Amino acid sequence: MQVGILGGGQLGRMLALAGYPLGLRTELYDPNPDACAGQVAPLVSEPYDAWDALAQFAGGKACVTYEFENVPLETARFVEERVPVRPTPRALEIFQDRLREKQFLNAVGIPTPAFAPIEPTQPDAALQITGLPCVVKTRRFGYDGKGQGVAQTPQEYHTLVQRFQPHPLIAEAFVPFEREVSAIGVRALDGQIAVYPLVENHHAGGILRVSLVNPDDALSQRGAHLTYLTRLLESLDYVGVIALEMFQVGDQLLANEVAPRVHNSGHWTIEGAETSQFENHLRAILGLPLGSVAPRGYCAMVNLIGELPPIDAVLRLPNTHLHLYGKSPRPGRKLGHITLRADTPKERDWLLEQLRQIYPVSRV
Ligand code: AMP
C-alpha cells in the first residue's frame, strides 16, 4: 500500500519512518527539493499548483495526508477529487485561519480566550472585546510565535496593528496561564477515538522547547481534554491525529490552537507510548485498527533548536533517544529532538539534569 504525504519536513519524515514496519510505502510532495523527509522516502518536488504533477502523485495511492496545515486548500481539494484525503481538507480550511478556528472551537463548546477580528477601519472595536493586555496575531501563516505580539497599552496595540497590516488580523485577550498543555488524539475510519495523556509544554521565543508527560497529572486525569477532543473529532468526521493546544488557568482549559496533523508535542510517543502518534495516524487514515495510546512511563521531549549537542555525549546517557532530522544548523531551526523516558518523575528529572550538562535545555 502506498500513502502520499503533502509536505516533506520532519513530520513527514517521521511518518514515513513509522510506515516501514507496517510494510507501507510513502511518497512525499514538497516544493522544496531539499525537504528533509526526502532523505528517507521518495520525494516529488513540484509547486503546490503543479496540477499535472499532483494528479500523478495522487495516482495509485491508498490515500493522501498532509503534514503541515499551510498546504494550500486548493491543492488538498484537487487531490481529494482523485483519492481520499485524510484528515478532511475541511480541517485545513478551518484551522489555517485563527479566526475561523476560534469560532469553530466555540461553536462546538470548547472555550477559548475572548477574541475578535481586527477590522482595518475600526481597529478599536476588537479592543473593546478583548481588553488589555491583548495579543495581536495574523490570522494566517503564523507559526512558532511569528506574526504576533502582545500589547499592554492602546498605543502598543495600534503599533502592532500597523506593523502587521495589510494582513487580516485577530486580537485575543492575553491569558495569564499557569501552564500550556496539549491534547493529542486520533480518530479511526470507523469512529474509534484514542487520546494520549495530556502534555505540558514549555516555549521560549514562541518555539516549543520542552514537553513533559506525567501520566498521573491531575488535570490529565480529570479528562476535560478528552471531551474537547471528542467534540472536535466527531464534529468534523475527522480521521487521523489532531493536536489541541490549550492554556491552563486554575482548573480551566482554554483552547489556543488546533493542528490538524501530527504535532511536535507528540514526539515523545515514539518511545513513550505503546503506539506512536505517527503510527496511529497512518493506521487511522488507512482504515486499520488503532494502537494503544498507553504511556510507557514519565517522559520529557527536548527540541534541538539552532544547534546540536555533542552527539557522543547524548548517546552515552541512559534511557535517552536521539532523533535528528538531517537538516543543517541555522538559528531557530528545529534540527531534531531527544526523548527521555523513565519509570518515575524523579528519574526523568535526573535525566533532564544530565542532558543540561551538555545542552542548554530550558528550565521547566
Ligand atoms: P500561537 O502561535 O498562537 O501558538 O502562540 C505562540 C505562543 O504565544 C503560545 O504558545 C503562548 O505562549 C503565547 N500566546 C499565544 N496566545 C496567547 C494568549 N492569548 N495569551 C497568552 N499567551 C499567548
Side-chain angles (χ1 to χ4, degrees):
M1 252 194 309
Q2 197 175 20
V3 175
I5 303 173
L6 297 170
Q10 64 265 21
L11 301 177
R13 181 180 170 111
M14 289 184 270
L15 279 168
L17 291 172
Y20 286 110
L22 298 174
L24 297 177
R25 286 184 304 135
T26 48
E27 189 174 41
L28 300 129
Y29 192 105
D30 195 308
N32 174 7
D34 295 326
C36 72
Q39 296 167 15
V40 307
L43 171 75
V44 177
S45 186
E46 294 287 348
Y48 280 127
D49 58 358
W51 309 115
D52 288 347
L54 276 170
Q56 207 181 335
F57 178 76
K61 301 284 189 300
C63 75
V64 167
T65 187
Y66 44 88
E67 61 98 75
F68 89 125
E69 62 270 38
N70 288 325
V71 168
L73 182 61
E74 270 187 299
T75 303
R77 293 250 194 254
F78 178 85
V79 175
E80 194 186 26
E81 282 163 19
R82 288 152 179 83
V83 65
V85 174
R86 298 184 185 127
T88 165
R90 202 173 149 233
L92 283 181
E93 190 176 9
I94 297 168
F95 302 128
Q96 279 176 349
D97 177 344
R98 290 183 191 277
L99 178 64
R100 291 200 61 183
E101 176 173 62
K102 290 209 159 59
Q103 288 168 335
F104 182 82
L105 286 163
N106 287 179
V108 298
I110 302 174
T112 62
F115 65 92
I118 300 178
E119 303 296 348
T121 49
Q122 278 184 301
D124 287 342
L127 260 194
Q128 302 300 315
I129 293 171
T130 64
L132 283 166
C134 75
V135 189
V136 175
K137 300 180 179 179
T138 53
R139 279 173 55 178
R140 303 176 76 87
F141 301 119
Y143 67 96
D144 286 347
K146 292 191 175 63
Q148 61 176 272
V150 179
Q152 303 285 348
T153 64
Q155 259 161 346
E156 285 178 5
Y157 174 77
H158 288 115
T159 307
L160 279 173
V161 170
Q162 270 165 13
R163 189 196 318 158
F164 294 133
Q165 270 174 347
H167 296 293
L169 303 175
I170 180 174
E172 295 173 16
F174 179 86
V175 179
F177 55 79
E178 277 136 61
R179 289 199 298 172
E180 289 189 81
V181 295
S182 56
I184 297 172
V186 56
R187 184 163 176 272
L189 205 53
D190 67 2
Q192 186 199 347
I193 288 175
V195 177
Y196 291 96
L198 209 55
V199 185
E200 173 181 322
N201 297 318
H202 297 266
H203 297 81
I207 306 180
L208 179 66
R209 306 285 162 159
V210 178
S211 291
L212 298 178
V213 183
N214 295 316
D216 50 5
D217 183 283
L219 193 70
S220 192
Q221 296 198 330
R222 210 165 299 138
H225 65 294
L226 303 180
T227 311
Y228 291 171
L229 274 188
T230 303
R231 284 180 192 162
L232 257 184
L233 291 165
E234 288 183 343
S235 58
L236 284 166
D237 195 18
Y238 189 99
V239 176
V241 166
I242 201 165
L244 174 62
E245 293 186 78
M246 293 170 286
F247 302 125
Q248 180 186 354
V249 187
D251 283 351
Q252 234 214 330
L253 285 173
L254 293 176
N256 175 38
E257 208 173 18
V258 177
R261 53 168 169 79
V262 288
H263 193 254
N264 194 171
S265 67
H267 291 359
W268 65 274
T269 58
I270 298 176
E271 291 87 10
E274 288 298 332
T275 316
S276 79
Q277 63 165 345
F278 302 100
E279 180 173 338
N280 260 335
H281 184 71
L282 294 172
R283 288 181 182 223
I285 63 174
L286 288 166
L288 301 169
L290 299 181
S292 162
V293 291
R296 302 171 65 229
Y298 295 79
C299 291
M301 189 286 309
V302 175
N303 267 341
L304 303 177
I305 294 167
E307 55 173 339
L308 291 175
I311 300 306
D312 279 27
V314 173
L315 296 179
R316 270 191 209 100
L317 295 174
N319 291 352
T320 299
H321 306 276
L322 176 67
H323 296 259
L324 297 179
Y325 307 149
K327 295 165 146 184
S328 44
R330 194 194 298 156
R333 199 175 198 199
K334 288 180 183 167
L335 304 172
H337 74 268
I338 290 173
T339 298
L340 310 170
R341 205 198 61 76
D343 292 331
T344 64
K346 201 170 154 202
E347 192 189 329
R348 188 264 321 275
D349 294 344
W350 179 84
L351 283 170
L352 264 178
E353 280 311 313
Q354 300 305 301
L355 187 56
R356 279 201 182 96
Q357 312 287 320
I358 53 175
Y359 194 73
V361 180
S362 310
R363 289 278 153 198
V364 294

